[in-house]
Amino acid sequence: MTGWTWEYHGYDPASERLREALCTPGNGYFATRGAAPESPAGDFHYPGTYAAGCYDRLTSTVAGQQVDNADMVNLPNWLPLRFRVEAESDGGSWLTLDSEALLDHHQRLDLRAGTLERSMRYAVGDGRVLSVRQLRLVHMGDPHLAALRTEFTADGWEGVVAVEAALDGAVTNGGVARYSQLDGRHLTDLRTGCGAADPAWLTCRTHTSEIRIGMATRLTTSGSVKYRRTDPDAQRVTQVLRLCIASGRPVAVDKVVALQTSRDPAISDPLGAAVERAGRAPGFEELLVSHRAAWQQLWNSAELDVPGKSGDILRLHLFHALQTLSPHTADLDVGVPARGLHGEAYRGHVFWDELFVLPYLNLHFPQVSRALLTYRHRRLGQARNEALRRAIPGRAEAMAARKPSNCTSTPAPGDGCPTTHDSSTTSDQRSPTTCGSTARPAATPNSCTPRVRRCSPRSPASGRLSRPTTRAPGATGSVA
């Protein structure tokens, strides 16, 4: 890390998921992990998009028992964009980070501008090299927009590059191995389509909370288009381009995406709102300028002047906090997920992590502090009712879901917790547990007793929204 940038050189599959978490762009309304757009979810890659307050509850069978699990939902993936150089004899192979053709990979997170940049070089046969540069943003000015620019440059040759961009609804919550027994299929009623012109669109809803989601994308290019088509199917909509490229002349493909949900105010239909927003959104260059200006305004209020390496690390932590808790949060009914909007660890549950950020927010963004306290206040009545129902003193707070949750707990005397919270997911080694299930974690010094769940106090360091980890690279539980 140097000043305002966080950089990686080369490609290390074992640590890729950690990089994805640390390089997550977001704006307080939604965030998208820093995954490679050309690579599908698998052992080394996990694209995930999460919107603040978008939860769903499913019933899973674990060890023969019915278990209710509430999750922050992995929304449709807007990132997919893959490419290949077409050969005379066939279509050529799709180029990814895992391709043998990869010569070089560099990744750079710009904390000041809120952008993620990637550059790759591929050997594409006969001594030819294709250079690819990508620039990604989740817009801090307009919280419903995101954009991805991909530039192709032929080094000493000319030919045709095929590009395939998509919105993918065939996603699940599957980013954390220890939750693999829980049902992660939160999206249903998927539909896709396109009009006579851009944008293409996808719509769906969550199973139980019935949050409707609309996503639309507009694909443009600066190059000469040899062929273009749009293919909607049951779970994804795909846009295909064939571009002519010449030596030393970059050709850009810009993907602008709009995301809306039924939780948004002042709209009647998330899909209609997303299509309209994507259609009237500015071009990539204009979006980049306004996005950088919004981040600059944010840093004017947010920056802490700490010299040396400590200041660099603190700036990275603030950057991650601001992507989960920005001024846009003041307009939302949301809490602070234990891992922010960066992944699925703790299943997105809300514990008491605002205690670690409220002192900072009180000084720099008091309107966000007020929103977080209001989120708690709105739920006091239900928490008191739950405490009465369970004959326990005080109140029993629901830990995550938008609707009242039965997953509650109470601290034992002397645990040092301010009020109550569920501690069933504070250990990476524990089995999936929720209230109402007979499944319980094995007894450990930090585990919960059957009758009174003991809180597991976390230090400010362990409660941060995002931090470099000392776990083994690629350990799923530590980076999701």
Side-chain angles (χ1 to χ4, degrees):
M1 183 173 188
T2 57
W4 287 86
T5 62
W6 185 268
E7 301 188 39
Y8 295 99
H9 296 273
Y11 169 56
D12 178 12
S15 63
E16 182 63 16
R17 287 199 174 195
L18 172 60
R19 295 185 182 187
E20 291 175 354
L22 291 175
C23 294
T24 296
N27 59 21
Y29 175 82
F30 80 101
T32 298
R33 287 169 59 87
E38 66 273 15
S39 298
D43 292 339
F44 306 130
H45 310 280
Y46 191 74
T49 293
Y50 310 96
C54 189
Y55 291 91
D56 189 51
R57 184 180 295 276
L58 294 174
T59 300
S60 306
T61 301
V62 179
Q65 301 292 326
Q66 295 296 297
V67 176
D68 284 341
N69 60 287
D71 294 280
M72 183 170 66
V73 178
N74 184 15
L75 299 182
N77 182 15
W78 65 270
L79 282 179
L81 189 147
R82 61 179 183 171
F83 45 87
R84 65 187 178 189
V85 175
E86 295 193 344
E88 293 182 2
S89 57
D90 57 35
S93 300
W94 296 108
L95 301 172
T96 71
L97 289 179
D98 301 291
S99 301
E100 293 183 1
L102 181 67
L103 299 175
D104 181 57
H105 178 250
H106 176 244
Q107 190 164 313
R108 179 176 178 269
L109 181 66
D110 188 330
L111 307 182
R112 189 189 300 274
T115 57
L116 176 61
E117 181 179 357
R118 302 172 64 231
S119 58
M120 298 83 71
R121 295 174 66 249
Y122 293 94
V124 291
D126 300 326
R128 300 178 301 170
V129 174
L130 176 68
S131 296
V132 182
R133 176 181 174 269
Q134 286 188 329
L135 191 62
R136 181 188 318 179
L137 61 89
V138 175
H139 205 279
M140 187 55 78
D142 186 332
H144 299 280
L145 290 179
L148 172 68
R149 164 166 285 187
T150 307
E151 287 183 349
F152 304 97
T153 305
D155 297 342
W157 58 280
E158 60 182 33
V160 176
V161 172
V163 178
E164 184 181 282
L167 300 178
D168 185 10
V171 300
T172 63
N173 277 58
V176 181
R178 68 180 181 273
Y179 307 145
S180 60
Q181 298 177 72
L182 300 176
D183 190 353
R185 297 167 295 180
H186 290 283
L187 301 180
T188 187
D189 290 348
L190 277 157
R191 293 184 295 117
T192 65
C194 59
D198 276 338
W201 54 265
L202 179 151
T203 184
C204 59
R205 67 172 177 86
T206 56
H207 266 279
T208 306
S209 56
E210 296 186 345
I211 299 172
R212 291 175 293 137
I213 300 153
M215 188 175 283
T217 179
R218 189 185 72 211
L219 195 69
T220 58
T221 179
S222 64
S224 173
V225 179
K226 190 173 182 180
Y227 176 80
R228 182 184 187 117
R229 75 171 190 271
T230 302
D231 297 328
D233 64 23
Q235 294 186 310
R236 62 188 279 145
V237 56
T238 304
Q239 296 171 291
V240 180
L241 299 175
R242 295 177 70 224
L243 306 173
C244 299
I245 63 173
S247 177
R249 297 180 181 177
V251 172
V253 175
D254 294 337
K255 184 178 186 180
V256 176
V257 174
L259 170 65
Q260 304 267 178
T261 79
S262 55
R263 287 172 50 85
D264 299 339
I267 65 169
S268 59
D269 173 35
L271 175 58
V275 170
E276 179 185 1
R277 190 178 293 268
R280 60 179 170 81
F284 186 88
E285 292 290 350
E286 188 173 342
L287 283 173
L288 181 60
V289 169
S290 57
H291 171 71
R292 285 174 170 166
W295 264 105
Q296 183 58 58
Q297 184 176 2
L298 198 60
W299 281 119
N300 288 342
S301 300
E303 187 178 1
L304 298 178
D305 187 13
V306 177
K309 185 177 181 181
S310 297
D312 293 341
I313 295 174
L314 176 61
R315 191 177 293 120
L316 176 67
H317 290 182
L318 288 178
F319 178 78
H320 285 163
L322 291 172
Q323 294 186 103
T324 299
L325 302 168
S326 78
H328 299 300
T329 308
D331 297 325
L332 305 175
D333 180 33
V334 298
V336 184
R339 285 293 180 90
L341 303 177
H342 296 65
E344 296 167 14
Y346 299 106
R347 310 212 306 272
H349 290 179
V350 175
F351 300 97
W352 293 99
D353 293 82
E354 65 260 42
L355 294 180
F356 305 119
V357 292
L358 280 176
Y360 170 79
L361 294 174
N362 289 343
L363 292 174
H364 296 269
F365 301 100
Q367 74 276 28
V368 177
S369 291
R370 181 183 180 88
L372 297 178
L373 295 174
T374 302
Y375 168 84
R376 293 290 185 182
H377 185 263
R378 291 188 182 110
R379 288 154 177 79
L380 275 179
Q382 180 64 25
R384 287 168 176 154
N385 292 340
E386 182 65 16
L388 288 173
R389 186 185 71 82
R390 296 180 52 160
I392 57 178
R395 58 189 184 274
E397 298 280 1
M399 67 177 176
R402 181 186 180 195
K403 295 183 178 181
S405 169
N406 292 327
C407 198
T408 56
S409 60
T410 184
D415 276 343
C417 295
T419 61
T420 62
H421 73 271
D422 185 284
S423 56
S424 62
T425 56
T426 56
S427 171
D428 287 358
Q429 285 74 39
R430 298 179 190 175
S431 301
T433 61
T434 57
C435 217
S437 165
T438 59
R440 289 289 183 267
T444 67
N446 289 326
S447 67
C448 308
T449 62
R451 292 187 179 180
V452 179
R453 292 188 177 179
R454 294 183 178 273
C455 300
S456 300
R458 284 172 285 170
S459 68
S462 64
R464 286 170 182 159
L465 291 172
S466 176
R467 62 190 175 100
T469 179
T470 56
R471 293 179 181 268
T476 305
S478 66
V479 300

